[in-house]
Amino acid sequence: MSTLRDLAEEHTALRPADIDHLHRIAGDWQLLSDLSFADLLLWVPVDGDGTFLCVAQVRPTTAPTAYLDDQVGRIVGGAEVAHLEVAYRQGRIWREGDPVWYGDVPARHEAIPVRLRTGDGEAGEVIAVVGRDTNLSTARTPSQLELNYLTTADDLAQMIADGTFPPPRHPGETTSAPRVGDGLVRLDANGKVTYASPNAQSAYRRLGYASHLVGEDLAKLHRRLAGDPLEGTDAGNAVLAALRGEAPPRREIDARGATMLTRALPLMPAGVPIGALVLVRDITEVRRRDRALITKDATIREIHHRVKNNLQTVAALLRLQARRVSMPEARVALEESVRRVASIALVHETLSMSSDEAVEFDGIVDRVASAATEVAATEVSVGMRRRGSFGVLPAEIATSLVMVLNELLLNAVEHGFPSAEEEAAAPPVDVPRPEAGVSAPRPEVVVSAHRARKQLHVTVTDNGRGLPEQFDAERGGNLGLQIVRALVTGELRGTIELRNGADGGTEAAIVVPLARGTTDRLTGRAGPL
């Protein structure tokens, strides 16, 4: 299904600013749909020939829908859209006409013109029409709650026609907000409560207010209820701002162990401030879970921090032992163990500073590669380079993969390039000399990474002497390569292939499956290691 923007750009000549305004309406019109007990359909004119295209639809959660089938993408004309044509051409809300039938469902048509206000605050031209279609199959005498809902819906509909609804969204504010069913409070121009739904009354009762809300000054009530004076002042000022015609950000009120989220909306039909609409939601349990998650996250980070410290202690003990060992082979084995433990500690250090069980792996690779060139027991100066990005990896993959890369990088630096003594002792071979002024390529190791089809593809390539002629890719190699094969095929459930590169040198190609939902944030930029 095409999006609102796709449909509007393909079939209409609406400007980007017009389409953005339609997006804001579609982001906030569930409120109007629920208050109206009606389906809302967003219609845009097509080529000025009297036809209209439906680019968005929302169904009410407070009443049965008038449409069993989705209307988005439907183009209609003629008598079926006469009410839309009147609202679009005359710029007024259309409420005349008899009920119409959609199959076995009788419905009442209404049409609300959509305006986008100009930069100087004046009402602009009509750019679209909101069809408000009510299912009449369950029509009955409305209750007091329904009457207040419908009255408020009419005020908001007029504000859409004026171009003053929806209000602008505040930076960082999400679409999660109180809805009509959570609790609704209607205020007059003086800020006094004229109606409060039963759910709203229950939410205030949890904050400690047991009396009926009607007749109360809501701004003053918020200041009295809040346990924090600053919080109460903010919540009270939000109500006053809505009464002045502003759209304040959402506020929370904490009192008696309960938390309530409030959203205040100005009511200004025809530009005249007549009061405000306050939506409330009891979010006590949500905030309790949030606090539990924060505590859990802090505990997990502390565990990673302690694991990192313990691993560093183990590495220090191994390093101390290596200094006391007289046998060169034993000293080398202990130093390799130190590097392996340190690479695991690096992952836990990163996790201790992260808010979840995932790490930005590029920085870890850079640090491991830098350490490999510094500690490698070789006289050859080897450059390191990274292509692409690993992105964000979960801890269970990162811990094993960092050990694999640590072994491959050390192996490439220490064994991939001949030393000066080896080159001097090697028998002469007929190798073409570089052209005059062209230096021989610098020894280099390149780590490449990219994702494809829920797999991470990693390649470690050097431009050294390549694999020995009798090298067995399945069984050959030192302890480091045996560790690599065990981790890739076991812990990572992946594959690894060691081969000679097409242009010389050695290439280790690894493919690791990524679990569903693994974060995939890639920069695609090459960076030095």
Side-chain angles (χ1 to χ4, degrees), residues 500-524:
N500 285 315
D503 299 323
T506 306
E507 186 174 273
I510 303 170
V511 179
V512 177
L514 297 173
R516 184 182 299 273
T518 299
T519 306
D520 188 9
R521 296 194 305 229
L522 301 180
T523 62

Side-chain angles (χ1 to χ4, degrees), residues 1-4 6-7 10 55 72:
M1 178 61 68
S2 299
T3 65
L4 186 159
D6 293 336
L7 290 170
E10 180 180 355
V55 295
V72 176

Side-chain angles (χ1 to χ4, degrees), residues 42-353:
L42 186 56
W43 298 94
V44 293
V46 179
D47 300 329
D49 59 356
T51 60
F52 286 82
L53 165 68
C54 180
V55 295
Q57 176 183 0
V58 63
R59 293 179 171 87
T61 61
T62 52
T65 180
Y67 299 96
L68 296 179
D69 299 324
D70 197 272
Q71 302 297 301
V72 176
R74 183 169 174 240
I75 299 178
V76 294
E80 190 174 353
V81 295
H83 62 299
L84 303 178
E85 186 72 20
V86 171
Y88 182 72
R89 299 297 177 190
Q90 299 182 16
R92 66 177 180 87
I93 298 178
W94 185 93
R95 291 193 174 98
E96 305 89 54
D98 297 325
V100 295
W101 289 81
Y102 295 106
D104 297 331
V105 179
R108 181 178 62 247
H109 271 330
E110 295 179 69
I112 306 165
V114 177
R115 283 188 175 87
L116 173 62
R117 299 186 77 82
T118 61
D120 56 6
E122 297 296 325
E125 61 183 8
V126 177
I127 60 174
V129 179
V130 171
R132 184 164 60 167
D133 301 336
T134 306
N135 185 333
L136 298 178
S137 61
T138 58
R140 54 183 174 77
T141 303
S143 64
Q144 183 185 10
L145 178 145
E146 291 167 334
L147 288 173
N148 277 277
Y149 278 17
L150 292 170
T151 301
T152 305
D154 288 342
D155 293 335
L156 293 179
Q158 184 60 54
M159 291 173 66
I160 288 180
D162 299 337
T164 56
F165 184 87
R169 184 170 295 164
H170 295 272
E173 200 167 54
T174 65
T175 56
S176 176
R179 296 196 173 187
V180 170
D182 296 322
L184 177 145
V185 179
R186 171 95 186 216
L187 306 181
D188 62 18
N190 296 318
K192 298 292 181 67
V193 177
T194 60
Y195 176 76
S197 70
N199 284 346
Q201 192 72 51
S202 297
Y204 278 92
R205 187 172 292 113
R206 289 205 65 178
L207 293 179
Y209 186 76
S211 302
H212 204 278
L213 285 167
V214 174
E216 281 290 333
D217 186 316
L218 197 65
K220 293 180 179 178
L221 178 61
H222 283 180
R223 294 191 181 106
R224 294 201 310 268
L225 289 178
D228 184 345
L230 179 60
E231 183 181 87
T233 300
D234 289 343
N237 289 343
V239 174
L240 297 177
L243 294 173
R244 295 193 300 268
E246 302 171 13
R250 298 156 198 170
R251 301 292 185 187
E252 292 184 9
I253 301 177
D254 289 299
R256 295 177 179 265
T259 305
M260 185 174 71
L261 178 65
T262 67
R263 183 189 186 193
L265 294 170
L267 295 177
M268 300 178 60
V272 179
I274 62 170
L277 175 67
V278 180
L279 299 173
V280 300
R281 176 190 292 174
D282 182 357
I283 58 170
T284 304
E285 290 303 311
V286 175
R287 287 295 172 261
R288 184 186 62 79
R289 294 192 186 101
D290 287 345
R291 287 190 290 269
L293 286 174
I294 291 172
T295 302
K296 180 180 178 182
D297 288 343
T299 302
I300 291 174
R301 287 197 298 271
E302 178 62 21
I303 291 172
H304 283 301
H305 179 71
R306 295 190 181 188
V307 170
K308 182 263 296 184
N309 288 344
N310 290 338
L311 289 173
Q312 288 179 338
T313 301
V314 172
L317 292 173
L318 291 174
R319 193 177 296 111
L320 181 63
Q321 185 66 37
R323 292 172 183 167
R324 295 175 174 270
V325 172
S326 58
M327 295 178 60
E329 295 84 356
R331 185 182 303 111
V332 170
L334 288 172
E335 288 173 351
E336 288 179 351
S337 299
V338 168
R339 290 193 290 269
R340 289 164 186 150
V341 172
S343 65
I344 301 175
L346 187 58
V347 174
H348 286 281
E349 180 182 3
T350 306
L351 287 169
S352 69
M353 296 181 289

